[in-house]
Every structure is written in C-alpha cells, then in structure tokens.
Amino acid sequence: QVHLAVSGGGSVQGGGSLTLSCEVSGDIGGYWCVAWFRQAPGKEREGVAAIDSTDDTEYVDSVKGRFTAFAIGGKTTLNLQMNSLKPEDTGVYYCAAKPSSLCWHHYLTRGDGPSEFAFWAQGTQVTVSS
C-alpha cells in the first residue's frame, strides 16, 4: 500500500517562501508521477506542479518561475519550493501520486486531472498575507 504524507505548510507574508514536502512510503514502483494540487476556499481544486520519476517537471502558468518541484532522499521525498508567494497562492495544498511516469501537463489544468491520481496525502494549509 502506498502512503503519502505532506508537511511544511504555514503562514507567510507576500514575497516570502515555503517548502512543502511529500514523503512517499510503500511500493509505488520505479515509474511514477507526483503532482501538487491546491484548493482555495470556495474554489475548485487546481493543479500546481508535477514531477515524474525521470525528474521531468510541469507547472501551471501562475507558478512558473516561482515554484520548483524536485526529488530528494532517493526520490522518496518530493519537495515543492515556493518562492515569491502571493496572497492568491493561499489554499490547502495536497500531493498525489500515480504509479506511472505519464505526467501530462493537462493533469494539472483539466478538471478531471485529480482523478488520474490514485494516492493522496492529507492537505496542508498555506496562507499568504498581503
């Protein structure tokens, strides 16, 4: 059974930085895709970034140049470095995983993207104040 645990949320002023970590335990196999989603109050869940087992990454336009997804710890921990944070980045952030290296950009932008992911972590709150 694959288990995901996310940590690193918190409150920060606009322009600040936070790093989220998604620890993957269990056997997801050698080919995988891990994505970050977020949900603001009253809004739909939206994709943010994704990384696959070959370290290829995808980002939505609103976070390009500010967020970086990368793997550490033998790729059992996936981090999301978030710089130049804006109030509109506020929300509950989730990481999700699928046992396939297919990690298309549209998984982040289409409404049915989250349904591609079989494993989910609990969310962590990120609050950015102006």
Short mmCIF file of all heavy atoms in Angstrom, two decimals, residues 48-85:
data_model
loop_
_atom_site.label_atom_id
_atom_site.label_comp_id
_atom_site.label_asym_id
_atom_site.label_seq_id
_atom_site.Cartn_x
_atom_site.Cartn_y
_atom_site.Cartn_z
N VAL A 48 -0.96 22.46 -9.62
CA VAL A 48 0.10 23.44 -9.42
C VAL A 48 1.37 23.01 -10.14
O VAL A 48 1.92 23.75 -10.95
CB VAL A 48 0.40 23.62 -7.92
CG1 VAL A 48 1.57 24.57 -7.72
CG2 VAL A 48 -0.82 24.12 -7.18
N ALA A 49 1.83 21.80 -9.84
CA ALA A 49 3.10 21.31 -10.40
C ALA A 49 3.10 19.79 -10.36
O ALA A 49 2.33 19.18 -9.62
CB ALA A 49 4.28 21.86 -9.61
N ALA A 50 3.98 19.22 -11.15
CA ALA A 50 4.13 17.76 -11.16
C ALA A 50 5.57 17.40 -11.47
O ALA A 50 6.29 18.17 -12.14
CB ALA A 50 3.18 17.12 -12.19
N ILE A 51 5.97 16.25 -10.99
CA ILE A 51 7.31 15.72 -11.26
C ILE A 51 7.19 14.22 -11.45
O ILE A 51 6.40 13.57 -10.76
CB ILE A 51 8.29 16.08 -10.11
CG1 ILE A 51 9.70 15.56 -10.42
CG2 ILE A 51 7.79 15.58 -8.77
CD1 ILE A 51 10.76 16.09 -9.46
N ASP A 52 7.98 13.70 -12.40
CA ASP A 52 7.91 12.26 -12.61
C ASP A 52 9.22 11.60 -12.21
O ASP A 52 10.17 12.27 -11.80
CB ASP A 52 7.49 11.91 -14.04
CG ASP A 52 8.55 12.26 -15.07
OD1 ASP A 52 9.74 12.39 -14.72
OD2 ASP A 52 8.19 12.39 -16.26
N SER A 53 9.26 10.29 -12.35
CA SER A 53 10.41 9.53 -11.88
C SER A 53 11.68 9.80 -12.67
O SER A 53 12.77 9.39 -12.25
CB SER A 53 10.09 8.03 -11.90
OG SER A 53 9.48 7.66 -13.11
N THR A 54 11.55 10.50 -13.79
CA THR A 54 12.75 10.90 -14.55
C THR A 54 13.14 12.34 -14.26
O THR A 54 14.01 12.89 -14.91
CB THR A 54 12.51 10.74 -16.07
OG1 THR A 54 11.53 11.69 -16.50
CG2 THR A 54 12.05 9.34 -16.41
N ASP A 55 12.49 12.95 -13.27
CA ASP A 55 12.73 14.34 -12.85
C ASP A 55 12.19 15.38 -13.83
O ASP A 55 12.52 16.56 -13.72
CB ASP A 55 14.20 14.60 -12.58
CG ASP A 55 14.70 13.86 -11.35
OD1 ASP A 55 13.91 13.72 -10.39
OD2 ASP A 55 15.86 13.42 -11.34
N ASP A 56 11.41 14.96 -14.81
CA ASP A 56 10.72 15.94 -15.66
C ASP A 56 9.65 16.62 -14.82
O ASP A 56 8.99 15.98 -14.00
CB ASP A 56 10.09 15.26 -16.87
CG ASP A 56 11.12 14.92 -17.93
OD1 ASP A 56 12.24 15.48 -17.87
OD2 ASP A 56 10.81 14.11 -18.81
N THR A 57 9.48 17.91 -15.06
CA THR A 57 8.52 18.68 -14.27
C THR A 57 7.54 19.43 -15.17
O THR A 57 7.83 19.71 -16.34
CB THR A 57 9.24 19.71 -13.37
OG1 THR A 57 10.10 20.51 -14.18
CG2 THR A 57 10.04 19.02 -12.28
N GLU A 58 6.38 19.71 -14.60
CA GLU A 58 5.36 20.52 -15.26
C GLU A 58 4.86 21.54 -14.25
O GLU A 58 4.77 21.24 -13.06
CB GLU A 58 4.18 19.64 -15.71
CG GLU A 58 4.53 18.59 -16.75
CD GLU A 58 4.69 19.17 -18.14
OE1 GLU A 58 4.33 20.34 -18.33
OE2 GLU A 58 5.18 18.43 -19.04
N TYR A 59 4.52 22.72 -14.74
CA TYR A 59 3.99 23.77 -13.87
C TYR A 59 2.84 24.48 -14.57
O TYR A 59 2.85 24.64 -15.79
CB TYR A 59 5.07 24.81 -13.55
CG TYR A 59 6.30 24.24 -12.88
CD1 TYR A 59 7.40 23.87 -13.63
CD2 TYR A 59 6.33 24.08 -11.51
CE1 TYR A 59 8.53 23.33 -13.02
CE2 TYR A 59 7.45 23.55 -10.88
CZ TYR A 59 8.54 23.17 -11.65
OH TYR A 59 9.66 22.64 -11.05
N VAL A 60 1.89 24.93 -13.80
CA VAL A 60 0.87 25.79 -14.37
C VAL A 60 1.46 27.18 -14.51
O VAL A 60 2.42 27.55 -13.82
CB VAL A 60 -0.42 25.81 -13.51
CG1 VAL A 60 -1.08 24.44 -13.50
CG2 VAL A 60 -0.13 26.28 -12.10
N ASP A 61 0.89 27.97 -15.41
CA ASP A 61 1.47 29.28 -15.73
C ASP A 61 1.58 30.19 -14.50
O ASP A 61 2.53 30.96 -14.38
CB ASP A 61 0.64 29.96 -16.81
CG ASP A 61 0.80 29.31 -18.16
OD1 ASP A 61 1.75 28.50 -18.33
OD2 ASP A 61 -0.01 29.59 -19.06
N SER A 62 0.61 30.09 -13.61
CA SER A 62 0.58 31.03 -12.48
C SER A 62 1.73 30.83 -11.50
O SER A 62 1.99 31.72 -10.68
CB SER A 62 -0.75 30.90 -11.74
OG SER A 62 -0.93 29.60 -11.22
N VAL A 63 2.43 29.70 -11.57
CA VAL A 63 3.53 29.47 -10.62
C VAL A 63 4.88 29.31 -11.30
O VAL A 63 5.90 29.19 -10.63
CB VAL A 63 3.25 28.23 -9.73
CG1 VAL A 63 1.89 28.33 -9.05
CG2 VAL A 63 3.38 26.93 -10.50
N LYS A 64 4.88 29.33 -12.63
CA LYS A 64 6.16 29.17 -13.34
C LYS A 64 7.14 30.25 -12.92
O LYS A 64 6.78 31.43 -12.84
CB LYS A 64 5.92 29.22 -14.85
CG LYS A 64 5.49 27.92 -15.46
CD LYS A 64 5.32 28.04 -16.97
CE LYS A 64 4.84 26.75 -17.56
NZ LYS A 64 4.58 26.86 -19.01
N GLY A 65 8.37 29.85 -12.68
CA GLY A 65 9.40 30.80 -12.27
C GLY A 65 9.40 31.08 -10.79
O GLY A 65 10.35 31.69 -10.27
N ARG A 66 8.36 30.66 -10.08
CA ARG A 66 8.29 30.89 -8.64
C ARG A 66 8.35 29.58 -7.84
O ARG A 66 8.91 29.53 -6.75
CB ARG A 66 7.01 31.63 -8.28
CG ARG A 66 6.86 32.98 -8.95
CD ARG A 66 5.66 33.76 -8.37
NE ARG A 66 4.39 33.08 -8.59
CZ ARG A 66 3.56 32.73 -7.64
NH1 ARG A 66 3.85 32.96 -6.36
NH2 ARG A 66 2.40 32.14 -7.91
N PHE A 67 7.75 28.52 -8.39
CA PHE A 67 7.70 27.23 -7.71
C PHE A 67 8.63 26.26 -8.41
O PHE A 67 8.77 26.27 -9.63
CB PHE A 67 6.29 26.65 -7.73
CG PHE A 67 5.28 27.37 -6.86
CD1 PHE A 67 5.53 28.62 -6.32
CD2 PHE A 67 4.05 26.78 -6.59
CE1 PHE A 67 4.60 29.27 -5.53
CE2 PHE A 67 3.11 27.41 -5.79
CZ PHE A 67 3.39 28.66 -5.27
N THR A 68 9.26 25.39 -7.61
CA THR A 68 10.13 24.37 -8.16
C THR A 68 9.84 23.04 -7.47
O THR A 68 9.87 22.95 -6.24
CB THR A 68 11.62 24.72 -7.95
OG1 THR A 68 11.89 25.99 -8.53
CG2 THR A 68 12.52 23.67 -8.59
N ALA A 69 9.57 22.03 -8.28
CA ALA A 69 9.35 20.68 -7.75
C ALA A 69 10.62 19.88 -7.93
O ALA A 69 11.24 19.90 -9.01
CB ALA A 69 8.18 20.01 -8.49
N PHE A 70 11.04 19.17 -6.91
CA PHE A 70 12.24 18.36 -7.02
C PHE A 70 12.17 17.20 -6.04
O PHE A 70 11.40 17.22 -5.08
CB PHE A 70 13.50 19.19 -6.79
CG PHE A 70 13.59 19.85 -5.45
CD1 PHE A 70 14.34 19.28 -4.42
CD2 PHE A 70 12.95 21.06 -5.20
CE1 PHE A 70 14.43 19.90 -3.18
CE2 PHE A 70 13.04 21.68 -3.96
CZ PHE A 70 13.78 21.10 -2.95
N ALA A 71 12.98 16.18 -6.32
CA ALA A 71 13.00 14.96 -5.51
C ALA A 71 14.28 14.90 -4.70
O ALA A 71 15.34 15.29 -5.18
CB ALA A 71 12.88 13.73 -6.40
N ILE A 72 14.17 14.38 -3.50
CA ILE A 72 15.34 14.16 -2.65
C ILE A 72 15.20 12.80 -1.97
O ILE A 72 14.20 12.11 -2.15
CB ILE A 72 15.49 15.26 -1.57
CG1 ILE A 72 14.29 15.25 -0.62
CG2 ILE A 72 15.68 16.63 -2.20
CD1 ILE A 72 14.47 16.15 0.60
N GLY A 73 16.22 12.42 -1.24
CA GLY A 73 16.13 11.21 -0.43
C GLY A 73 15.88 9.97 -1.24
O GLY A 73 15.05 9.14 -0.87
N GLY A 74 16.62 9.83 -2.38
CA GLY A 74 16.39 8.66 -3.21
C GLY A 74 15.03 8.69 -3.86
O GLY A 74 14.45 7.66 -4.20
N LYS A 75 14.52 9.92 -4.01
CA LYS A 75 13.23 10.15 -4.67
C LYS A 75 12.06 9.61 -3.85
O LYS A 75 10.99 9.35 -4.39
CB LYS A 75 13.20 9.58 -6.08
CG LYS A 75 14.22 10.24 -7.00
CD LYS A 75 14.04 9.83 -8.45
CE LYS A 75 15.08 10.51 -9.32
NZ LYS A 75 14.92 10.19 -10.74
N THR A 76 12.25 9.44 -2.56
CA THR A 76 11.11 9.08 -1.72
C THR A 76 10.44 10.30 -1.13
O THR A 76 9.36 10.20 -0.55
CB THR A 76 11.55 8.14 -0.58
OG1 THR A 76 12.56 8.80 0.20
CG2 THR A 76 12.11 6.84 -1.14
N THR A 77 11.09 11.45 -1.27
CA THR A 77 10.51 12.71 -0.80
C THR A 77 10.48 13.69 -1.96
O THR A 77 11.50 13.90 -2.63
CB THR A 77 11.31 13.30 0.37
OG1 THR A 77 11.33 12.37 1.45
CG2 THR A 77 10.68 14.60 0.84
N LEU A 78 9.32 14.23 -2.21
CA LEU A 78 9.15 15.20 -3.29
C LEU A 78 8.86 16.54 -2.65
O LEU A 78 7.92 16.66 -1.86
CB LEU A 78 8.00 14.79 -4.21
CG LEU A 78 8.17 13.51 -5.03
CD1 LEU A 78 9.49 13.47 -5.75
CD2 LEU A 78 7.94 12.27 -4.19
N ASN A 79 9.66 17.52 -2.99
CA ASN A 79 9.51 18.85 -2.41
C ASN A 79 8.94 19.83 -3.42
O ASN A 79 9.14 19.69 -4.63
CB ASN A 79 10.86 19.39 -1.93
CG ASN A 79 11.29 18.77 -0.61
OD1 ASN A 79 10.56 17.97 -0.02
ND2 ASN A 79 12.47 19.12 -0.14
N LEU A 80 8.25 20.81 -2.91
CA LEU A 80 7.77 21.93 -3.71
C LEU A 80 8.28 23.20 -3.05
O LEU A 80 7.79 23.60 -1.99
CB LEU A 80 6.24 21.94 -3.80
CG LEU A 80 5.67 23.03 -4.70
CD1 LEU A 80 6.01 22.75 -6.16
CD2 LEU A 80 4.14 23.13 -4.54
N GLN A 81 9.30 23.78 -3.65
CA GLN A 81 9.85 25.04 -3.17
C GLN A 81 9.02 26.17 -3.74
O GLN A 81 8.88 26.29 -4.96
CB GLN A 81 11.31 25.18 -3.60
CG GLN A 81 11.93 26.52 -3.28
CD GLN A 81 12.12 26.74 -1.79
OE1 GLN A 81 12.53 25.82 -1.08
NE2 GLN A 81 11.83 27.94 -1.31
N MET A 82 8.46 26.99 -2.86
CA MET A 82 7.57 28.06 -3.31
C MET A 82 8.19 29.40 -2.91
O MET A 82 8.33 29.69 -1.71
CB MET A 82 6.19 27.90 -2.68
CG MET A 82 5.57 26.54 -2.94
SD MET A 82 3.87 26.39 -2.32
CE MET A 82 4.14 26.52 -0.57
N ASN A 83 8.57 30.17 -3.90
CA ASN A 83 9.17 31.49 -3.68
C ASN A 83 8.24 32.58 -4.17
O ASN A 83 7.30 32.33 -4.93
CB ASN A 83 10.51 31.58 -4.41
CG ASN A 83 11.53 30.59 -3.90
OD1 ASN A 83 11.54 30.23 -2.73
ND2 ASN A 83 12.39 30.12 -4.80
N SER A 84 8.52 33.80 -3.76
CA SER A 84 7.74 34.97 -4.19
C SER A 84 6.25 34.71 -4.04
O SER A 84 5.46 34.96 -4.97
CB SER A 84 8.08 35.31 -5.65
OG SER A 84 9.46 35.56 -5.80
N LEU A 85 5.87 34.20 -2.89
CA LEU A 85 4.49 33.82 -2.67
C LEU A 85 3.56 35.02 -2.71
O LEU A 85 3.94 36.14 -2.30
CB LEU A 85 4.34 33.08 -1.35
CG LEU A 85 4.80 31.62 -1.38
CD1 LEU A 85 5.06 31.09 0.01
CD2 LEU A 85 3.78 30.76 -2.10
#
